[in-house]
Amino acid sequence: MAAVSHLVIAYPELSGSDRDRLQAYRSTRDPLFYRVVEPHFTLVFPIPDGDPTAFSAEVRTRLGDAGPIDFALRCALINRDAFSNMYHVFLVPDEGFSEVKLHDRLYAGRFRPHHRFDIDFIPHIGVANDPDPEVCKRWTDEWNAETLEIRGSVKALTLIEYDGVAIRELERIPLPLR
């Protein structure tokens, strides 16, 4: 069995038609993650091993009074994977980009040694991946050629375990209403 890592993700609340659109697209262009995880934002990237109870306690401590985040995805971009030979197509928010603040807050304490400053944090929902950057660029251009607007909100964080093959949800933490 591969080493287990813990992550914090946020499953966005989307309209049914937007969710269906993302999933239909991902089913043909996201071979790495379509069958692993639903559309999501990642706020804490894989932290190896560790105690799930301590992981949860740290997230709750850092979360503080963070409230729900409303967002609008209006742009696609291509991103080179820092860990593999792959390229990804991300849908990124121009409203709700403040997820960056929550990401940084979660890495302020016990997770600080795992914060990767060599990789830019871009809030995103991944929709496609391929080893050929030209393929991903074409897909990115297709998204950006239309008037893209997918609105939603993040109202909870989900703590997961990932073994490199499958995820297991550990806990869902609702974001307090402000």
Side-chain angles (χ1 to χ4, degrees):
M1 180 174 163
V4 171
S5 296
H6 296 100
L7 296 86
V8 178
I9 64 173
Y11 293 114
E13 291 187 8
L14 302 166
S15 73
S17 60
D18 284 339
R19 185 187 176 292
D20 292 347
R21 178 181 182 199
L22 292 179
Q23 286 297 75
Y25 193 87
R26 290 180 69 224
S27 72
T28 61
R29 292 186 174 92
D30 185 6
L32 294 178
F33 301 111
Y34 173 72
R35 287 182 171 40
V36 176
V37 65
E38 296 287 317
H40 66 281
F41 294 97
T42 302
L43 291 161
V44 173
F45 291 92
I47 295 179
D49 300 317
D51 171 21
T53 303
F55 186 81
S56 173
E58 179 65 13
V59 170
R60 288 176 178 280
T61 296
R62 295 290 153 211
L63 193 55
D65 67 348
I69 299 169
D70 295 324
F71 65 86
L73 306 170
R74 294 193 186 102
C75 182
L77 60 84
I78 185 173
N79 185 271
R80 184 180 183 285
D81 193 303
F83 307 103
S84 74
N85 231 5
M86 297 295 284
Y87 290 82
H88 301 275
V89 176
F90 292 166
L91 300 183
V92 297
D94 55 350
E95 284 179 43
F97 198 83
S98 60
E99 279 186 68
V100 170
K101 294 177 188 176
L102 182 54
H103 165 82
D104 287 350
R105 183 192 291 186
L106 290 168
Y107 276 104
R110 187 174 152 254
F111 301 157
R112 182 141 177 95
H114 302 284
H115 195 167
R116 296 286 309 264
F117 294 108
D118 59 326
I119 302 170
D120 294 331
F121 175 68
I122 302 167
H124 67 274
I125 295 176
V127 294
N129 44 70
D130 195 274
D132 185 343
E134 292 296 330
V135 169
C136 287
K137 177 62 173 141
R138 186 178 73 244
W139 293 339
T140 298
D141 290 346
E142 289 169 1
W143 279 101
N144 288 330
E146 65 177 88
T147 305
L148 171 65
E149 181 169 88
I150 297 174
R151 290 189 164 275
S153 61
V154 169
K155 295 185 179 172
L157 302 184
T158 302
L159 283 53
I160 64 170
E161 273 184 353
Y162 181 55
D163 65 5
V165 176
I167 66 166
R168 183 171 72 92
E169 294 185 8
L170 301 173
E171 181 178 5
R172 185 176 183 275
I173 304 172
L175 294 173
L177 297 176
R178 294 185 196 160

